């Protein structure tokens, strides 16, 4: 069982798959899981996982689809399993093809979803600061100042809007940066240090807790430029 701060779309690519939570097993072939929900994947055969940032526009659309539920079985998408099987074809799918496939599948899942009201602008300013390329991470007090709130009020609003305490969200962002560094060819240790982890062991423990498998098991493609 593991949990991470991303929407997860679990798709069968041949065979079957189910997602187990504290409430029981939800069968596939297509399952949507909310962020921060403790779950285990029970597959037979190949599967594909599509992760979506909760704070993105697409994340808002997925939030609307769940309607407050932690996990939901999605309508079947005819042809999805055939498309997914091409990932492991000969030659296997390239990076650009994988990105296009992911976007097509996400669009098929979202359909006419409205996208919801979005993030409170005060919290949005803090999220923008975290992704604007500035050096270093703001402290909770600095983030509260960006949001023009007291630290206590900021902490409560951040959890309500994002779903995680601010410090835990920073840990999630570091994890994503470390994965990106690995995809760019850095070693596990180099990626961990570049993302702000104390060492590779700290990165590995965090990854295992959030994704249910060791970071060393990944074979990553470089991100699109």
């Amino acid at each position: 069982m593991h949990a991470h701060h991303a929407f997860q779309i679990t798709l069968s690519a041949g065979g079957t798959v189910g997602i187990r939570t504290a409430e029981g097993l939800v069968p596939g072939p297509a399952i949507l899981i909310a962020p921060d929900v403790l779950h285990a994947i029970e597959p037979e055969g190949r599967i594909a996982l599509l992760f979506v940032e909760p704070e993105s526009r697409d994340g808002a659309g997925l939030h609307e689809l769940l309607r407050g539920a932690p996990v939901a079985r999605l309508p079947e998408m005819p042809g999805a399993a055939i498309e997914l099987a091409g990932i492991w074809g000969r030659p296997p799918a390239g990076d650009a093809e994988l990105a296009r496939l992911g976007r097509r599948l996400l669009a098929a899942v979202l359909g006419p979803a409205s996208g919801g009201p979005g993030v409170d602008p005060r919290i949005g300013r803090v999220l923008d600061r975290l992704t604007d390329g500035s050096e270093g991470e703001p402290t909770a007090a600095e983030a509260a100042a960006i949001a023009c709130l007291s630290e206590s009020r900021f902490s409560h609003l951040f959890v309500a809007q994002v779903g995680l305490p601010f410090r835990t969200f920073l840990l999630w962002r570091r994890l994503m940066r470390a994965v990106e560094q690995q995809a760019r060819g850095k070693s596990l240790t180099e990626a961990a240090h570049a993302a702000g982890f104390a060492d590779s062991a700290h990165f590995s423990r965090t990854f295992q807790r959030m994704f249910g498998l060791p970071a060393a098991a990944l074979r990553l493609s470089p991100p699109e430029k």
Side-chain angles (χ1 to χ4, degrees), residues 90-132:
R90 299 208 178 274
D95 300 338
E97 185 180 350
L98 287 173
R100 286 193 296 269
L101 174 57
R103 284 191 286 268
R104 285 200 304 274
L105 292 171
L106 181 57
V109 169
L110 285 170
S114 68
V119 176
D120 185 291
R122 294 167 292 182
I123 299 302
R125 289 198 297 271
V126 176
L127 296 176
D128 288 343
R129 163 61 179 80
L130 291 172
T131 57
D132 67 4

Side-chain angles (χ1 to χ4, degrees), residues 53-200:
E53 285 279 0
E55 291 73 37
S56 67
R57 182 176 298 177
D58 290 332
L62 294 176
H63 177 77
E64 288 289 300
L65 284 179
L66 280 172
R67 299 183 182 276
V71 60
R73 185 178 184 182
L74 297 171
E76 292 192 30
M77 292 180 282
I82 296 174
E83 281 199 275
L84 288 167
I87 293 173
W88 297 276
R90 299 208 178 274
D95 300 338
E97 185 180 350
L98 287 173
R100 286 193 296 269
L101 174 57
R103 284 191 286 268
R104 285 200 304 274
L105 292 171
L106 181 57
V109 169
L110 285 170
S114 68
V119 176
D120 185 291
R122 294 167 292 182
I123 299 302
R125 289 198 297 271
V126 176
L127 296 176
D128 288 343
R129 163 61 179 80
L130 291 172
T131 57
D132 67 4
S134 300
E135 287 295 324
E137 295 170 339
T139 64
E142 291 168 341
I146 294 169
C148 299
L149 295 167
S150 69
E151 191 169 345
S152 173
R153 176 61 185 143
F154 166 73
S155 296
H156 283 92
L157 184 60
F158 194 89
V159 171
Q161 289 283 301
V162 177
L164 289 175
F166 181 64
R167 290 182 178 84
T168 307
F169 183 75
L170 291 182
L171 183 62
W172 166 254
R173 299 293 303 181
R174 287 183 207 129
L175 187 68
M176 294 299 96
R177 286 200 301 273
V179 169
E180 182 177 305
Q181 290 295 316
Q182 266 194 290
R184 295 183 186 279
K186 300 287 188 183
S187 69
L188 202 64
T189 299
E190 290 171 333
H193 287 157
F197 286 96
D199 51 37
S200 59

